[in-house]
Amino acid sequence: MPKIEIDEKTCKSCGLCIEACPKKCIAFSKEVNKLGLPWAEFVKPQDCIGCGFCYQMCPDVCIEVYK
Amino acid sequence: MKKIFSRPESLTNAPFSYCPGCGHGIAHRLVAESIDELGIRERTIGVAPVGCAVFAYNYFNLDMTEAPHGRPPAAATGIKRTNPDKIVFAYQGDGDIAAIGMSEIVHAANRGENITVIFINNANYGMTGGQMAPTTLLGQVTQTTPFGRDPKREGYPIKVCELLSSLEAPVYLERVAIYDPKQVLNAKRAIKKAFANQVENKGFSLVEIISNCPVDWGMTVMDSIKWVKDVFIKTFPLGIIKDKTR
Ligand SMILES: Cc1ncc(C[n+]2csc(CCOP(=O)(O)OP(=O)(O)O)c2C)c(N)n1
Ligand code: SF4
Ligand code: SF4
C-alpha cells in the first residue's frame, strides 16, 4: 500500500498538500509543532494512491512518498 | 516499497525562510530536481538575487554565489564565460529582474549568453514588504499603490518574456505557473528544458514562474492560489513565448 511521510517539524501549515490530495488523506493536527503551527497529518493511510500530488505542492519539501 | 518522491540531492537540509505557502519553495525544488535528473549537480553554479531568495545559496546543495540587486545575469555571464564547462543559472524575482536589473537581463539575453534564468514573478517586492513591482497588475493594491496601480501614474505591467522575445538571440522563453500539481509538473518540464538547452550549448533560456506571495498580498494561502488562477495569469498568459530549439 502506498504511503507518505510528513516532517511535522518543518511543516508550515500552509495547507497546500491537504488541498491537493485527491483522496483527502491529509488533515491538520490538533496539536502544534515547534513553529506553533498545526502540521499536516497523514490521517487516512488506507486511501492513499501514491500519486505524489502532496509532494508536488509542498513548498517546504516536507513530504516523502513511497509506493 | 520504494521511495518515489523525496528531497532532491541538489537541496541542502536547511529549512527555507519563506512564508508558509510561498511559491519560491516549489520553484527551488523544481530547479533542484532538474539538476539532479540531468546529472549536472557537480558542475552547476547558481547566482542568488536580492529579494526573498537572497539566501538561496543556503538552500541549494551546489556552488552558489549572490549578486547585487538585479545583477545575477551579469554575474552569471562572467562565471559562464570564464568556466564554459560549468552550468550556470541566475535565480531572480520580478523586482530584481524587471526594475533595478532590467538592463542586465536585456543585455545578457541580447548577447545570447549560454545561461539559464529562473524568474519568479509574484507581482510585488516580497522581501521589502509588498511594494509595487514592474509586474504589478493594473488595479492591484500594494504598499506603494494603495488605491491600485493606475497606468496613468505607474505605467503598465511589464511582460519580461514578451519583451525579450523581440530580441534575436534568446532561444527559449516560457511562462509557467505552479498553482496546482498539473501546473507544477509542467513547470518542471520547462525548467528542465531550460537547463538541458545550456548543457547542449543552445544559448539563452529563461523560464518565468507565475508565483504567489500570500503574506504581502494580504491573502490566505488558498486565496492567493485562487488569485493566481483567476486574475494573475489573465495578464500574464502561460505558454511558450519563444522556442528556437524546435
Ligand atoms: C541596490 C538595492 N536597492 C534596493 C534594495 C532593497 N530591496 C531588497 S529586496 C527588494 C525587492 C525584491 O523584490 P523581488 O525581486 O520581486 O523579489 P521577491 O522578494 O518578491 O522574491 C528591494 C528593492 C537593495 N537590497 N539593494
Ligand atoms: S504542503 Fe508542506 S508545509 Fe504545507 S501543510 Fe502540507 S506538509 Fe505542511
Ligand atoms: S514575502 Fe512573499 S515572496 Fe517573500 S517569502 Fe513571503 S510569500 Fe514568499
Side-chain angles (χ1 to χ4, degrees), chain A residues 1-3 10 12-16 19-20 50-53 55-61 63-67, chain B residues 1-8 11 16 18 20-22 25-26 29 33 178-181 184-185 221-222 225:
Chain A
M1 214 165 58
K3 66 162 188 176
T10 50
K12 290 183 189 160
S13 204
C14 71
L16 286 171
E19 185 73 14
C51 64
F53 281 12
Y55 169 89
Q56 296 298 343
M57 291 310 291
C58 179
D60 289 280
V61 207
I63 303 179
E64 291 187 335
V65 185
Y66 298 80
K67 200 173 183 175
Chain B
M1 195 154 43
K2 268 201 352 235
K3 212 187 257 190
I4 54 166
F5 294 113
S6 61
R7 199 173 187 83
L11 287 180
F16 298 149
Y18 305 115
C22 169
I26 295 178
R29 199 196 76 235
E33 284 178 358
I178 48 176
Y179 59 74
D180 68 20
V184 169
L185 291 168
V221 173
M222 290 317 153
I225 294 285

Side-chain angles (χ1 to χ4, degrees), chain B residues 75-212:
Chain B
T77 297
I79 296 168
K80 183 71 183 182
R81 286 195 176 200
T82 48
N83 301 271
D85 54 323
K86 302 290 186 209
I87 302 302
V88 185
F89 75 97
Y91 185 101
Q92 302 188 262
D94 44 7
D96 198 72
I97 209 169
I100 192 167
M102 182 57 105
S103 172
E104 278 70 20
I105 191 63
V106 169
H107 289 287
N110 191 48
R111 293 189 303 269
E113 298 295 342
N114 188 27
I115 59 171
T116 304
V117 180
I118 306 299
F119 159 33
I120 308 296
N121 180 354
N122 61 14
N124 73 7
Y125 288 5
M127 186 192 214
T128 44
Q131 294 82 5
M132 192 198 92
T135 48
T136 294
L137 306 201
L138 294 183
Q140 187 184 335
V141 172
T142 68
Q143 293 293 324
T144 46
T145 53
F147 307 106
R149 181 177 187 168
D150 177 352
K152 288 209 250 352
R153 197 171 45 224
E154 288 98 20
Y156 292 82
I158 296 182
K159 295 176 185 153
V160 172
C161 284
E162 283 81 347
L163 194 128
L164 297 180
S165 73
S166 74
L167 305 172
E168 203 51 47
V171 295
Y172 175 56
L173 306 165
E174 180 163 357
R175 185 180 292 119
V176 297
I178 48 176
Y179 59 74
D180 68 20
K182 189 172 157 218
Q183 297 296 329
V184 169
L185 291 168
N186 183 53
K188 163 78 176 296
R189 174 201 50 77
I191 292 169
K192 193 170 169 184
K193 180 175 164 65
F195 277 95
N197 285 348
Q198 186 180 163
V199 173
E200 293 157 24
N201 284 314
K202 287 186 172 153
F204 183 91
S205 299
L206 178 145
V207 177
E208 171 174 350
I209 304 169
I210 299 297
S211 189
N212 60 325

Side-chain angles (χ1 to χ4, degrees), chain A residues 8-42:
Chain A
E8 64 176 62
K9 295 187 297 300
T10 50
C11 171
K12 290 183 189 160
S13 204
C14 71
L16 286 171
C17 58
I18 297 176
E19 185 73 14
C21 176
K23 295 291 178 185
K24 305 274 164 263
C25 299
I26 312 172
F28 285 126
S29 65
K30 301 268 180 302
E31 316 271 293
V32 295
N33 62 16
K34 281 201 177 142
L35 300 169
L37 302 166
W39 64 88
E41 233 173 8
F42 189 39

